[in-house]
């Protein structure tokens, strides 16, 4: 006796299959590749988003992608600082960090947010391990000076990444890195998470850098810029056409791509499953940075 299938169920099933097949070319493209994802504190402040982000990371790992997560936590650091009577101060997208602020930032990033992310990714079905730049001298840094020569306190610029340690960790787990670094002599530095992610992406030979943030992407003249080249990004920074938190993001795009990363994406992390939408669908979202197309050779 032949069993009939209710037409609505059949159609829904076919639609699900179509979604998987549509994603297959993108899964094939990223299989075996390293993707570095920076997730910001704004995208982590909504309790719905961290588990959804963790599911995205878990899916990447399960289909053969090698994700590395770098995270910040600016809003959470500011909130605790204000509760403790400290006034947050920013210059060109960097938090001015005195000794008290450094201690608060470590408590928030390393003690709280890092472990929360690790738990969520573990719950998504893949092992994750949390660490910061101090661990195993993972991220080495020197003191960063402000654009106008001002003292930013304990703010660092990454000088090197312990790529061999990351490679070993990636064999068995997803590294989840809080954006701190060390000078190797006992001094920790607060590092902008976008720039930390760029340094990691360059060091491990990542094909993509994805910056999940709290804006839709690069905005110019009131419009979202869906695609630009690394030259365009550099020109926006040099021409003073971006400010605030977008400055280090575009600086991260330029640094990573000048060091060999193929593409960089600035994506609205407030959208559920933004990472999968960007990597595994043809439409994508946010702003994608590419290398300029090669100039064809002139035939003589």
């Amino acid at each position: 006796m032949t069993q009939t299938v209710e037409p609505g169920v059949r159609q829904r099933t076919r639609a699900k299959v179509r979604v998987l097949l549509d994603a297959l070319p993108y899964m094939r493209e990223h299989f075996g590749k390293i993707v570095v994802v920076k997730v910001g504190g704004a995208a982590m402040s909504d309790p719905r988003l961290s588990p959804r982000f963790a599911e995205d990371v878990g899916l990447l790992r399960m289909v053969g992608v090698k994700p590395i997560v770098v995270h910040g936590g600016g809003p959470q650091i500011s909130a605790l600082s204000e509760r403790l009577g400290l006034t947050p101060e920013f210059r060109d997208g960097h938090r001015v960090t005195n000794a008290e602020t450094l201690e608060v930032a470590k408590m928030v990033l390393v003690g709280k947010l890092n472990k929360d992310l690790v738990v969520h990714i573990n719950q998504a079905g893949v092992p994750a391990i949390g660490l910061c730049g101090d661990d195993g001298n993972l991220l080495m840094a020197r003191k960063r000076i402000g654009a106008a020569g001002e003292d930013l306190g304990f703010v660092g610029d990454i000088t090197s990444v312990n790529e061999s340690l990351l490679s070993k960790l990636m064999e068995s787990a997803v590294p989840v890195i809080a954006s701190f670094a060390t000078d190797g002599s006992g001094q920790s530095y607060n590092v902008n998470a976008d720039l930390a992610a760029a340094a990691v992406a360059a060091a491990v030979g990542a094909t993509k850098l994805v910056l999940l943030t709290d804006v839709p992407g690069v905005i110019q003249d009131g419009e979202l810029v869906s695609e630009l080249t690394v030259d365009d990004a550099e020109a926006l920074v040099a021409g003073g056409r971006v400010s605030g938190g977008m400055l280090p993001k575009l600086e991260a795009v330029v640094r990573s791509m000048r060091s060999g990363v193929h593409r960089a994406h600035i994506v609205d992390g407030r959208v559920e499953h933004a990472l999968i939408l960007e990597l595994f669908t043809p439409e994508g979202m946010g702003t994608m940075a590419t290398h300029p197309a090669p100039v064809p050779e002139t035939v003589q």
Side-chain angles (χ1 to χ4, degrees):
M1 180 177 178
T2 303
Q3 184 176 7
T4 60
V5 179
E6 193 272 317
V9 173
R10 180 183 300 171
Q11 188 61 37
R12 289 196 300 271
T13 302
R14 287 178 175 175
K16 292 175 182 178
V17 171
R18 187 73 261 162
V19 169
L20 292 172
L21 292 176
D22 286 345
L24 186 58
Y26 303 97
M27 293 180 181
R28 187 182 298 118
E29 174 189 350
H30 295 102
F31 183 82
K33 306 292 178 39
I34 300 174
V35 175
V36 175
V37 185
K38 176 264 179 176
V39 58
M44 298 163 63
S45 58
D46 187 330
R48 297 174 302 120
L49 293 178
S50 283
R52 302 292 83 78
F53 170 73
E55 289 172 353
D56 290 1
V57 172
L59 177 60
L60 290 182
R61 178 90 178 186
M62 289 175 185
V63 298
V65 184
K66 300 175 182 177
I68 298 175
V69 177
V70 179
H71 71 88
Q76 293 88 340
I77 295 170
S78 293
L80 182 55
S81 295
E82 290 170 355
R83 283 170 54 192
L84 296 174
L86 303 173
T87 302
E89 181 182 356
F90 296 87
R91 293 178 188 167
D92 296 327
H94 296 270
R95 182 184 300 273
V96 178
T97 306
N98 59 20
E100 293 83 2
T101 302
L102 182 68
E103 185 174 356
V104 170
K106 270 200 167 184
M107 286 191 293
V108 172
L109 294 191
V110 182
K112 171 64 175 169
L113 297 183
N114 186 268
K115 302 314 169 192
D116 287 348
L117 264 179
V118 166
V119 168
H120 286 140
I121 295 172
N122 286 339
Q123 289 175 331
V126 297
I129 183 166
L131 63 165
C132 72
D134 292 340
D135 297 318
N137 288 338
L138 177 63
L139 304 178
M140 304 293 290
R142 60 171 176 264
K143 182 180 175 68
R144 182 184 179 104
I145 304 300
E150 66 270 40
D151 186 359
L152 301 178
F154 297 107
V155 175
D157 256 334
I158 303 293
T159 56
S160 66
V161 176
N162 189 337
E163 185 273 333
S164 63
L165 175 58
L166 276 178
S167 294
K168 291 176 182 176
L169 292 174
M170 278 191 290
E171 292 176 3
S172 56
V174 176
V176 180
I177 306 169
S179 55
F180 281 94
T182 178
D183 65 358
S185 299
Q187 179 59 58
S188 294
Y189 286 98
N190 184 18
V191 178
N192 178 276
D194 298 307
L195 296 176
V200 169
V204 300
T207 56
K208 284 184 182 285
L209 169 66
V210 182
L211 306 177
L212 297 180
T213 183
D214 59 349
V215 294
V218 177
I219 305 295
Q220 290 291 294
D221 302 321
E223 298 290 334
L224 173 67
V225 179
S226 60
E227 186 172 338
L228 46 68
T229 68
V230 63
D231 294 342
D232 296 331
E234 200 164 41
L236 288 175
V237 174
R241 297 178 60 193
V242 291
S243 59
M246 188 54 67
L247 269 174
K249 288 174 178 55
L250 286 181
E251 185 181 344
V253 167
V254 172
R255 285 191 183 187
S256 63
M257 295 184 69
R258 296 296 188 210
S259 299
V261 174
H262 295 178
R263 290 186 178 180
H265 306 255
I266 300 175
V267 178
D268 194 339
R270 299 169 299 180
V271 177
E272 287 193 1
H273 301 297
L275 183 57
I276 295 303
L277 289 170
E278 182 62 31
L279 296 182
F280 288 167
T281 67
E283 293 83 5
M285 56 187 295
T287 299
M288 179 175 68
T290 63
H291 288 282
V295 178
E297 293 184 7
T298 303
V299 180
Q300 299 294 331

